[in-house]
Coordinates of all heavy atoms in Angstrom, one line a residue:
S1 N -12.5 12.5 3.2 CA -12.0 12.2 1.8 C -12.2 10.8 1.5 O -12.6 10.4 0.3 CB -10.5 12.6 1.6 OG -10.3 14.0 1.8
C2 N -11.9 9.9 2.4 CA -12.2 8.4 2.2 C -13.6 8.1 2.0 O -14.0 7.3 1.1 CB -11.6 7.6 3.3 SG -9.8 7.5 3.4
A3 N -14.5 8.8 2.8 CA -15.9 8.6 2.6 C -16.4 9.0 1.2 O -17.2 8.3 0.6 CB -16.7 9.4 3.6
H4 N -15.9 10.1 0.7 CA -16.3 10.6 -0.7 C -15.8 9.5 -1.7 O -16.5 9.2 -2.7 CB -15.7 11.9 -1.0 CG -16.3 13.1 -0.3 ND1 -17.7 13.2 -0.2 CD2 -15.8 14.1 0.4 CE1 -18.0 14.3 0.5 NE2 -16.9 14.8 0.9
A5 N -14.6 9.0 -1.5 CA -14.0 8.0 -2.4 C -14.8 6.7 -2.4 O -15.1 6.1 -3.5 CB -12.5 7.8 -2.1
V6 N -15.2 6.3 -1.2 CA -16.0 5.1 -1.1 C -17.3 5.3 -1.9 O -17.8 4.4 -2.7 CB -16.3 4.7 0.3 CG1 -17.4 3.7 0.5 CG2 -15.0 4.2 1.0
T7 N -17.9 6.4 -1.7 CA -19.2 6.7 -2.4 C -19.0 6.8 -3.9 O -19.8 6.2 -4.7 CB -19.8 8.1 -1.9 OG1 -20.1 8.0 -0.5 CG2 -21.0 8.5 -2.6
D8 N -18.0 7.5 -4.4 CA -17.7 7.6 -5.8 C -17.5 6.3 -6.5 O -17.9 6.0 -7.6 CB -16.6 8.6 -6.0 CG -16.9 10.0 -5.7 OD1 -18.1 10.3 -5.6 OD2 -16.0 10.8 -5.6
L9 N -16.7 5.4 -5.8 CA -16.4 4.1 -6.3 C -17.7 3.2 -6.4 O -18.0 2.5 -7.3 CB -15.3 3.4 -5.5 CG -13.9 3.9 -5.7 CD1 -13.0 3.4 -4.6 CD2 -13.4 3.6 -7.1
A10 N -18.5 3.3 -5.3 CA -19.7 2.5 -5.2 C -20.7 2.9 -6.3 O -21.4 2.0 -6.8 CB -20.3 2.6 -3.8
R11 N -20.8 4.1 -6.6 CA -21.7 4.6 -7.7 C -21.3 4.0 -9.0 O -22.1 3.9 -9.9 CB -21.7 6.1 -7.8 CG -22.5 6.7 -6.6 CD -22.3 8.3 -6.6 NE -23.2 8.8 -5.6 CZ -23.0 10.0 -5.0 NH1 -22.0 10.8 -5.4 NH2 -23.9 10.4 -4.1
R12 N -20.0 3.6 -9.2 CA -19.6 2.9 -10.4 C -19.5 1.4 -10.2 O -19.0 0.7 -11.1 CB -18.2 3.5 -10.8 CG -18.3 5.0 -11.1 CD -16.9 5.6 -11.1 NE -16.9 7.0 -11.7 CZ -17.3 8.1 -11.0 NH1 -17.6 7.9 -9.7 NH2 -17.3 9.3 -11.5
R13 N -19.9 0.9 -9.1 CA -19.9 -0.5 -8.8 C -18.5 -1.1 -8.8 O -18.2 -2.2 -9.3 CB -20.8 -1.3 -9.7 CG -22.3 -0.9 -9.6 CD -23.2 -1.8 -10.4 NE -24.6 -1.3 -10.3 CZ -25.6 -2.0 -10.9 NH1 -25.4 -3.0 -11.6 NH2 -26.8 -1.5 -10.7
L14 N -17.6 -0.3 -8.2 CA -16.2 -0.7 -8.2 C -15.8 -0.9 -6.7 O -16.3 -0.2 -5.8 CB -15.3 0.4 -8.8 CG -15.4 0.6 -10.3 CD1 -14.8 1.9 -10.7 CD2 -14.9 -0.6 -11.0
V15 N -14.9 -1.8 -6.5 CA -14.4 -2.1 -5.1 C -13.7 -0.9 -4.5 O -12.8 -0.3 -5.1 CB -13.5 -3.3 -5.1 CG1 -12.8 -3.5 -3.7 CG2 -14.3 -4.6 -5.5
A16 N -14.1 -0.6 -3.2 CA -13.4 0.4 -2.4 C -12.6 -0.4 -1.4 O -13.2 -0.9 -0.4 CB -14.3 1.4 -1.8
M17 N -11.3 -0.5 -1.5 CA -10.4 -1.2 -0.6 C -9.9 -0.2 0.4 O -9.0 0.6 0.2 CB -9.3 -1.9 -1.4 CG -8.5 -2.9 -0.5 SD -7.1 -3.6 -1.4 CE -7.9 -4.3 -2.9
V18 N -10.4 -0.3 1.7 CA -10.1 0.7 2.7 C -9.1 0.0 3.7 O -9.4 -1.1 4.2 CB -11.3 1.1 3.5 CG1 -11.0 2.2 4.5 CG2 -12.4 1.7 2.5
E19 N -8.0 0.7 3.9 CA -6.9 0.2 4.8 C -6.9 1.1 6.1 O -6.2 2.1 6.1 CB -5.6 0.2 4.1 CG -4.4 -0.3 5.0 CD -3.1 -0.3 4.2 OE1 -3.0 0.3 3.1 OE2 -2.2 -0.9 4.7
P20 N -7.6 0.7 7.2 CA -7.7 1.5 8.3 C -6.7 1.2 9.4 O -6.4 0.0 9.6 CB -9.1 1.2 8.8 CG -9.4 -0.2 8.5 CD -8.6 -0.5 7.2
F21 N -6.2 2.2 10.1 CA -5.3 2.0 11.2 C -5.7 3.0 12.3 O -6.0 4.1 12.0 CB -3.8 2.2 10.8 CG -3.2 1.1 10.0 CD1 -3.0 1.3 8.7 CD2 -2.9 -0.1 10.6 CE1 -2.4 0.3 7.9 CE2 -2.3 -1.1 9.8 CZ -2.1 -0.9 8.5
W22 N -5.6 2.6 13.6 CA -5.6 3.5 14.7 C -4.2 3.9 14.9 O -3.3 3.1 15.3 CB -6.2 2.8 15.9 CG -6.7 3.8 16.9 CD1 -6.1 4.1 18.1 CD2 -7.9 4.5 16.9 NE1 -6.8 5.0 18.8 CE2 -7.9 5.3 18.1 CE3 -9.0 4.6 16.0 CZ2 -9.0 6.1 18.4 CZ3 -10.0 5.5 16.3 CH2 -10.0 6.2 17.5
S23 N -3.9 5.2 14.8 CA -2.5 5.6 14.7 C -2.2 6.7 15.8 O -3.1 7.4 16.3 CB -2.1 6.2 13.4 OG -2.4 5.3 12.3
T24 N -0.9 6.7 16.2 CA -0.4 7.7 17.2 C 1.0 8.2 16.7 O 1.6 7.5 16.0 CB -0.4 7.2 18.6 OG1 0.5 6.1 18.6 CG2 -1.8 6.8 19.1

């Protein structure tokens, strides 16, 4: 889902701010 959102934002030349965590 995040990959699709990054792609959709990039197509509109909008910043994709991704907040990644390694979680348990």
Side-chain angles (χ1 to χ4, degrees):
S1 297
C2 288
H4 288 313
V6 168
T7 297
D8 289 345
L9 289 165
R11 284 174 176 157
R12 294 164 171 83
R13 300 185 179 183
L14 294 168
V15 170
M17 191 185 300
V18 184
E19 182 178 10
F21 287 106
W22 197 258
S23 304
T24 57

